[in-house]
Amino acid sequence: MGHCGRPAVTRFLVVLTDVRPVDDVRRDERQAPERRRQVVGASSREAADRIAGAFMALGMVRAGRQRVKVIAVGRRYGL
């Protein structure tokens, strides 16, 4: 249970990004994130996984030029 006895609900973002070229510099998503092509919000993990699956069917993702990320963001409390 979360704040005030209500269950905590995590939201999700599904992010489609360009894959950076490999170079000698260590990757740091906080300092230099990959370029975002599309960002979609989802209210459940199941919905986020379905959206991610649709993105993974794209030719650019299958070719390795783009990648799909599912990110849990914050917590909000259900009513």
Side-chain angles (χ1 to χ4, degrees):
M1 288 285 179
H3 181 67
C4 298
R6 292 179 285 182
V9 179
T10 303
R11 300 209 56 220
F12 296 89
L13 290 178
V14 182
V15 184
L16 178 66
T17 66
D18 289 334
V19 174
R20 265 193 300 258
V22 177
D23 56 12
D24 293 335
V25 179
R26 187 172 153 221
R27 291 183 181 191
D28 184 347
E29 285 295 310
R30 292 180 188 257
Q31 296 296 321
E34 292 178 331
R35 181 177 174 197
R36 292 181 299 258
R37 288 292 185 168
Q38 184 82 34
V39 179
V40 178
S43 59
S44 71
R45 179 64 196 225
E46 293 79 21
D49 287 344
R50 267 186 272 150
I51 296 165
F55 280 162
M56 286 186 271
L58 296 172
M60 294 289 280
V61 175
R62 294 181 57 155
R65 290 187 220 113
Q66 292 180 340
R67 95 175 79 236
V68 179
K69 302 172 186 180
V70 176
I71 304 167
V73 289
R75 293 202 131 165
R76 65 182 173 89
Y77 296 95
L79 298 175

